[in-house]
Amino acid sequence: MDDSVLKHEALALWTKGQRHQLRGDIERAIELYTKSLALYPTAEAYTFRGWAYSFQGRLDDAIDECKKAIAVDPTFGNPYNDIGSYLLKKGQLDQAIEWLEKAKTAPRYEPRHFPYMNLGCIYAQKWMVLQAIREFETALQIHPGERTCVTMVQQLRGSLN
């Protein structure tokens, strides 16, 4: 089978895995992502398998999957953001920052406002209020009206008084 057919089949399995994951069937999603990767490794399948692992509390495995995704396609921004968010969950704020900054500049990334939101959360936790506000406001420029960002900007501005 040629590469284009394998890639098409792999992406179909990845899409099916996404549907299972969104329904909460994490085990089946992981199986489908794994089958997809066996056919044709993609950054998407590695990233989403990592995301599924994170639902199981397997943050180190999730980070490893994201690093594999980056090795396959360094232009794909999602795994950079995901590593940052997993490190944030682990309380490793300073380590998370560099990954989230990389996500901001990745050429191929949606939803683009997520790394700004995550950085805003980190800076808020570090009591770097003005920097947190800047990150949330940038996220709002990209995704106007995003409720979490609106709320955080209001709360952070209120803390300055």
Side-chain angles (χ1 to χ4, degrees):
M1 226 180 284
D2 76 27
D3 271 3
S4 65
V5 172
L6 289 174
K7 186 174 184 180
H8 179 76
E9 288 182 23
L11 289 174
L13 286 166
W14 167 67
T15 301
K16 196 172 177 183
Q18 282 183 296
R19 286 195 300 268
H20 281 273
Q21 186 164 352
L22 292 174
R23 288 195 303 256
D25 188 356
I26 303 303
E27 289 298 327
R28 181 69 179 136
I30 290 170
E31 288 174 23
L32 291 163
Y33 297 144
T34 301
K35 286 180 180 179
S36 172
L37 289 163
L39 279 178
Y40 191 95
T42 62
E44 291 82 359
Y46 279 123
T47 301
F48 277 74
R49 187 165 67 177
W51 188 37
Y53 288 161
S54 78
F55 278 72
Q56 297 176 324
R58 298 168 54 187
L59 296 180
D60 290 331
D61 291 333
I63 290 168
D64 288 342
E65 291 298 299
C66 289
K67 288 179 179 177
K68 292 174 189 173
I70 292 165
V72 170
D73 181 0
T75 70
F76 188 47
N78 300 59
Y80 296 102
N81 179 73
D82 290 359
I83 290 172
S85 70
Y86 303 146
L87 291 169
L88 173 58
K89 285 179 185 172
K90 291 177 70 167
Q92 298 175 359
L93 306 184
D94 292 331
Q95 296 90 328
I97 291 170
E98 79 174 84
W99 292 100
L100 295 168
E101 289 294 343
K102 289 178 182 178
K104 285 178 172 183
T105 61
R108 194 167 73 86
Y109 183 49
E110 288 299 325
R112 177 82 47 198
H113 64 292
F114 278 10
Y116 296 93
M117 290 176 62
N118 285 326
L119 281 164
C121 290
I122 288 171
Y123 292 131
Q125 286 183 41
K126 293 174 68 103
W127 293 101
M128 299 169 74
V129 176
L130 294 177
Q131 209 162 347
I133 290 170
R134 273 194 299 277
E135 295 295 340
F136 285 119
E137 286 179 339
T138 304
L140 285 167
Q141 290 171 5
I142 297 166
H143 192 281
E146 206 292 326
R147 282 193 259 181
T148 300
C149 294
V150 169
T151 301
M152 289 301 296
V153 168
Q154 290 170 346
Q155 289 176 358
L156 290 164
R157 283 192 180 140
S159 76
L160 293 174
N161 293 329

